Structures are given as structure tokens and as C-alpha cells.
């Protein structure tokens, strides 16, 4: 028989993402409905090691669900990579009588938390939270939709000035290893070229396309950070092919990670927050809550990895609009 849960520890880890606060709210609300108390662990794994743990209430979280970032703060923890760090974390979990954990973050967070299961049987459920949308086991991660909307609005603004001067702009968007933000923000802002890591040959298409570019119109290139090419390299390649071009570049950077979560990200946070607590109550562990084809699914941490491909339909849209 599954042991009745009394006290869940919740934390956010890795890069913050809009929608994390909605997931926290939903988890606390669901826990309260099941008579379970919830504590927030601040700064991710670092807070577990430092015993930086605070009580959370639904009333407090209801008022912060609309905020970007994470009210629990977040960090990338080197100490948790060591067995000594994990043992201290486990002592603090026991000291606070926490009998279930929910971690919100990316694949690195789930790798970290599954290491805990080597030294303890504390049940853990993960919620995918990263603007990069690069996690296997869910169609969308928390923060992706909001980041795309921010990037799209920024590129729209750049287009206004680009059109006015007939300039070419190369705009770099985030995505450490993934081109999802690039594809979505590029397609929705009418970019002329989208360069993503999943399709390295697209730089050649761009260089070919600009041979005939006559500077009588704007031209927008969306460059995904994940390409590791960098703005300078792409700009120099463009200049080599056509040095008449009036070229500017812009790196959007962390502006894409902040801001209020979109309705879609709040909804995703609500669904996954509720699901994570229900999964713990039902005795599930070492799994990530996700949504595939609009259905709630649990995937074992052992199967979670970075998504390294863009689906074929999206790929064909890039070809249609940008080649
Ligand atoms: O994973 C989210 C993300 O914003 C990536 O797109 C980006 O490469 C990285 O985090 C930046 O990390 P940091 O905020 O630590 O510089």
C-alpha cells in the first residue's frame, strides 16, 4: 500500500522560465486539497544543501502566478553534483520531514534529482520548465510559449526599423542546443531566413539567397544561439557574399526569459502542477509530468533527454517560407 504523503518539498532549478510560478501555485493548491503541506526549497539544489526551506501557502502563490521568473529563485548547483552535497541535501530532507519532492527544471534538473534515488527512496516527480522546449517526454515545456511571444514582438519591432531603412538584420534568439525558439519566432515574424542547429545546411541557403538581394527591402535572419555560429561569424559570411548590404545585428538575450507568462504557459503550469502532486499521491516516482498530444503523460527520468530534432512538418514550413 502507498504510504500517505504529509509534506512535499517543491523547488525550481536551472534557468528560470515564465510559468514556473503557476506550476508552484497549482501544486500547492492540489496538495492542500489532499491535506498535504508544502515547503518551498529556495535556489534549487543549493537550497536543499543549505537547508533554505520556507513554508508555502496557496494564498501567497495565487498572487504570484502571473509573474515571470520563479519566486523560489533558482540556481545551477555544482555542489549537488558531488556525493557529499547530495548526502547533506538528504539529511535536510529528513530533518524537515519532507516525504515527496517536485522539481521544476530541464533535463539537467531531472538527471540531478534521479541521482538522489541512488541514496534514498524519497519519491520525486519532475515538471519540465525551460524556455528552450528541448525536453523529451512533453510537447511543450514551461516558458517556451512566453519566450517565443517575447522574441516575436522584438523581431516585429526590429522589422519596423529594418523596413524603414531597407536593412538586413541578423537577430540571435535563445536556445542553448535547440532551434525551437528560432523556428517559432522566425516563422511568426515572417523572417526571410532561420538558422537552427538541427539544420546546419540552412546557412548555405541563406548565402545563396542573398546573392540576389538588392537592398530594396528589409531582410530578417533569425539565428538560433544553439548553432554556436555567433552573430559576428554569420555577419562576416553575409558580407563576404554581398558587401553592399546595410547590415545590423541584435542579440535578444535574457529579455526572452523574463516577463509575465502567457496564458498557455500559465495553463501548462496549472495542468502539470496538479498532475505532479496527483502522481506523488498515487505512489509514482522518478518520472516527469508532461503533455503529449494534449494528454497528460508520465515519463521515467531514465528516458528523459534533450530533444535534438525538429519535427518534419516544422522543417517543411521553414523550407517553404525561408528557402
Ligand atoms: O536554458 C535556458 C537558457 O535561457 C538557454 O536558452 C540559454 O542558452 C541559457 O539558458 C543561458 O543560461 P544562463 O542564464 O545561465 O546564462
Amino acid at each position: 500500500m502507498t504510504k500517505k504523503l504529509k509534506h512535499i518539498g517543491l523547488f525550481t532549478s536551472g534557468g528560470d522560465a515564465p510559468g514556473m510560478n503557476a506550476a508552484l501555485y497549482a501544486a500547492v493548491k492540489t496538495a492542500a486539497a489532499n491535506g498535504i503541506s508544502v515547503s518551498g526549497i529556495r535556489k534549487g539544489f543549493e537550497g536543499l544543501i543549505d537547508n533554505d526551506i520556507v513554508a508555502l501557502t496557496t494564498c501567497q502563490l495565487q498572487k504570484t502566478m502571473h509573474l515571470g521568473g520563479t519566486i523560489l529563485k533558482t540556481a545551477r548547483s555544482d555542489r549537488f553534483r558531488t556525493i557529499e552535497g547530495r548526502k547533506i541535501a538528504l539529511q535536510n530532507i529528513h530533518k524537515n520531514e519532507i516525504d515527496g519532492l517536485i522539481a521544476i527544471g530541464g533535463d539537467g534538473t531531472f538527471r540531478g534529482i534521479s541521482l538522489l534515488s541512488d541514496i534514498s527512496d524519497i519519491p520525486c516527480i519532475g515538471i519540465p520548465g525551460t524556455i528552450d522546449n528541448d525536453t523529451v517526454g512533453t510537447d511543450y515545456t514551461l516558458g517556451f510559449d512566453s519566450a517565443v511571444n517575447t522574441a516575436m514582438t522584438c523581431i516585429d519591432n526590429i522589422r519596423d526599423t529594418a523596413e524603414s531603412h531597407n536593412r538586413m538584420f541578423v537577430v540571435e534568439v535563445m536556445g542553448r542546443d535547440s532551434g525551437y525558439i528560432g523556428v517559432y519566432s522566425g516563422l511568426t515574424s515572417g523572417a526571410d531566413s532561420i538558422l537552427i542547429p538541427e539544420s546546419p545546411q540552412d546557412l548555405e541557403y541563406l548565402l545563396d539567397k542573398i546573392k540576389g538581394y538588392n537592398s530594396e527591402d528589409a531582410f530578417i535572419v533569425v539565428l538560433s544561439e544553439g548553432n554556436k555560429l555567433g552573430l559576428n561569424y554569420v555577419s562576416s559570411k553575409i558580407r563576404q557574399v554581398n558587401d553592399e548590404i546595410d547590415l545590423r545585428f541584435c542579440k535578444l538575450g535574457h529579455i526572452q526569459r523574463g516577463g509575465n507568462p502567457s496564458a498557455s504557459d500559465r495553463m501548462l503550469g496549472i495542468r502539470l502542477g496538479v498532475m505532479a502532486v496527483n502522481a506523488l499521491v498515487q505512489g509514482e516516482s522518478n518520472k516527469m509530468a508532461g503533455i503529449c498530444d494534449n494528454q497528460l503523460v508520465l515519463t521515467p527520468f531514465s528516458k528523459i533527454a534533450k530533444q535534438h530534432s525538429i519535427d518534419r512538418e516544422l522543417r517543411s514550413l521553414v523550407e517553404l517560407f525561408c528557402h
Side-chain angles (χ1 to χ4, degrees):
M1 218 186 77
T2 314
K3 211 171 110 204
K4 178 149 174 32
L5 279 181
K6 294 197 184 110
H7 185 193
I8 292 175
L10 266 181
F11 65 95
T12 48
S13 172
D16 57 283
M20 283 181 163
N21 291 326
L24 295 174
Y25 169 51
V28 175
K29 180 97 181 156
T30 313
N34 283 278
I36 302 166
S37 64
V38 181
S39 291
I41 299 148
R42 286 157 40 91
K43 300 193 220 127
F45 294 117
E46 289 286 290
L48 268 182
I49 296 171
D50 293 334
N51 199 28
D52 190 353
I53 296 177
V54 292
L56 294 178
T57 64
T58 44
C59 181
Q60 162 202 18
L61 286 162
Q62 189 176 6
K63 299 183 202 325
T64 54
M65 160 162 94
H66 65 293
L67 299 177
T70 160
I71 59 150
L72 286 181
K73 302 194 182 279
T74 184
R76 305 191 200 271
S77 173
D78 285 332
R79 288 188 295 162
F80 197 79
R81 289 181 218 276
T82 67
I83 183 70
E84 294 76 23
R86 294 198 289 278
K87 282 186 178 158
I88 298 172
L90 191 59
Q91 281 164 15
N92 287 327
I93 289 170
H94 291 320
K95 200 185 326 174
N96 289 280
E97 298 181 337
I98 290 172
D99 48 15
L101 282 174
I102 295 176
I104 309 179
D107 61 304
T109 302
F110 308 137
R111 267 195 308 280
I113 201 155
S114 39
L115 286 175
L116 254 194
S117 58
D118 295 343
I119 54 169
S120 112
D121 56 3
I122 177 111
C124 307
I125 295 290
I127 295 177
T130 162
I131 63 165
D132 290 358
N133 202 37
D134 60 353
T135 310
V136 165
T138 190
D139 289 343
Y140 296 103
T141 55
L142 287 178
F144 170 65
D145 183 68
S146 307
V148 165
N149 276 290
T150 303
M152 179 191 72
T153 305
C154 291
I155 301 168
D156 288 349
N157 290 355
I158 287 172
R159 177 176 291 285
D160 289 344
T161 173
E163 293 286 358
S164 304
H165 289 266
N166 287 340
R167 279 179 173 155
M168 179 181 289
F169 268 83
V170 184
V171 186
E172 187 181 292
V173 298
M174 271 188 166
R176 191 192 293 274
D177 302 298
S178 155
Y180 267 94
I181 298 177
V183 169
Y184 272 64
S185 63
L187 285 173
T188 55
S189 60
D192 299 277
S193 170
I194 300 173
L195 305 178
I196 55 169
E198 295 84 353
S199 164
Q201 70 276 16
D202 285 353
L203 180 59
E204 291 308 316
Y205 280 103
L206 164 66
L207 298 178
D208 216 42
K209 195 169 176 181
I210 59 167
K211 280 184 192 149
Y213 173 67
N214 56 13
S215 296
E216 282 172 12
D217 222 342
F219 192 106
I220 307 282
V221 180
V222 171
L223 167 65
S224 173
E225 170 199 12
N227 272 326
K228 319 283 186 237
L229 294 175
L231 286 169
N232 285 332
Y233 177 79
V234 173
S235 302
S236 74
K237 286 299 228 185
I238 291 171
R239 286 206 170 98
Q240 272 170 24
V241 172
N242 187 336
D243 63 1
E244 307 272 282
I245 291 174
D246 191 4
L247 180 65
R248 297 288 186 278
F249 47 84
C250 174
K251 181 173 180 151
L252 297 186
H254 287 79
I255 198 163
Q256 294 157 98
R257 232 166 62 192
N260 294 354
S262 65
S264 293
D265 274 330
R266 295 182 204 192
M267 205 54 217
L268 187 62
I270 288 170
R271 292 177 77 186
L272 295 180
V274 171
M275 181 190 183
V277 173
N278 285 338
L280 279 178
V281 167
Q282 285 154 18
E284 297 284 0
S285 182
N286 281 330
K287 290 183 179 161
M288 186 194 83
I291 293 185
C292 295
D293 296 330
N294 208 24
Q295 301 297 313
L296 300 171
V297 285
L298 284 172
T299 306
F301 285 151
S302 57
K303 296 211 169 120
I304 300 298
K306 259 197 200 308
Q307 175 78 264
H308 279 295
S309 59
I310 290 279
D311 73 56
R312 207 176 311 158
E313 191 218 337
L314 278 182
R315 177 80 224 120
S316 66
L317 291 178
V318 173
E319 284 166 14
L320 176 65
F321 287 95
C322 300
H323 284 183

